[in-house]
Amino acid sequence: MLEYMRLGGSIMWVIASLSVLALSVIIERLVFYHRASTDPEALETAFGKAVASKDIDECRSIVRSSNSSMHRLFAVAFAHWGIAREDMKLLVEQQVRREIYRWERNLYILELVGKLAPLLGLLGTVLGMVEMFQSLHVGGQISAASVTGGIWKALFTTVAGLTVGIPTIFIHGLLVSRIDNEEETLNRGADFLIREHFANPAKNETK
C-alpha cells in the first residue's frame, strides 16, 4: 500500500486524507442517526393515552425518556401545551426544522469529498503524464515499456480518486434519503401533536 502511495505522489496522500475524513463523518452520522431515531407509532400511542387521561407526570416521563428527534419534538410541544393552536403549529414547525438541521450536519463534507476525490485523481494522472513525457523528452529515448510503465503509475491517482469518490457519493445519497424519511416522520408527528392539542384544549400546567 505504501508503495502505491509513493508511486502515486503527493496527491495520493491528499486523497487518502479525504477518505479518512469521509469515513469519520459517515461513522459519526450513523451513530447520530441511530441515537436520534425511535418508533414514532409507539411514542404517539403512549403520549396520546397520557394526554387523554390528563396524566401530566406520565406525559413528562414519556417525552423525556429518550433524546431522539421525535422525543425532542414532543418535549417542546408538551412544554408549551397551553398555547393557542396556531402558536403550537408554528412552534412544532420550527422544532422540525431544528431537528432536520441536526440530521443534515456535516453532510456537505461527504458531498465535497465525493466530488473532489475523482477530480484530484484525474489531476494526479495528468500531472503524472506530464512528468512522464517530460522525462522521455529529456532522455531522448522512447520505448513502449517506459511509456506504458509511466501511464500505469500515473493512473494510480485516478483509481484512488474513484475508489474514494464513488462509495462516498453512494453513501451520501443513502443518508440524504434517510433524512427525507425522518423529515416526513417528524412532520407527521407535528400533525399528531396539533390534533392532540386541538382535541385537548385545556390549559394544563406542564412546568
Side-chain angles (χ1 to χ4, degrees), residues 53-68:
S53 63
K54 298 183 180 180
D55 190 340
I56 296 176
D57 291 334
E58 179 65 14
C59 288
R60 184 179 294 111
S61 175
I62 290 171
V63 299
R64 293 180 179 178
S65 62
S66 173
N67 195 41
S68 75

Side-chain angles (χ1 to χ4, degrees), residues 28-177:
E28 186 273 331
R29 287 290 83 191
L30 290 177
V31 171
F32 171 81
Y33 290 176
H34 176 72
R35 293 177 177 175
S37 300
T38 191
D39 183 350
E41 293 182 1
L43 175 59
E44 291 175 2
T45 300
F47 185 79
K49 290 180 179 178
V51 169
S53 63
K54 298 183 180 180
D55 190 340
I56 296 176
D57 291 334
E58 179 65 14
C59 288
R60 184 179 294 111
S61 175
I62 290 171
V63 299
R64 293 180 179 178
S65 62
S66 173
N67 195 41
S68 75
S69 291
M70 281 289 285
H71 281 82
R72 288 164 60 92
L73 173 64
F74 276 54
V76 169
F78 180 68
H80 301 82
W81 201 249
I83 64 177
R85 186 172 187 273
E86 288 302 316
D87 292 334
M88 175 63 72
K89 182 178 179 180
L90 292 175
L91 179 68
V92 294
E93 287 177 352
Q94 183 182 51
Q95 185 62 28
V96 168
R97 290 194 296 270
R98 287 175 177 172
E99 292 304 316
I100 294 302
Y101 173 78
R102 295 174 68 227
W103 280 69
E104 292 176 340
R105 188 177 301 165
N106 294 331
L107 279 191
Y108 72 94
I109 296 177
L110 296 183
E111 186 176 4
L112 287 176
V113 171
K115 292 179 178 179
L116 286 177
L119 293 177
L120 286 172
L122 180 59
L123 175 62
T125 294
V126 172
L127 293 177
M129 297 284 285
V130 170
E131 182 179 352
M132 178 194 67
F133 283 115
Q134 183 182 23
S135 64
L136 292 175
H137 174 73
V138 172
Q141 294 182 349
I142 300 178
S143 66
S146 61
V147 172
T148 56
I151 294 175
W152 178 68
K153 294 178 182 178
L155 288 174
F156 280 157
T157 55
T158 295
V159 173
L162 292 174
T163 301
V164 173
I166 292 175
T168 301
I169 292 175
F170 177 74
I171 295 175
H172 176 265
L174 292 179
L175 296 182
V176 169
S177 177

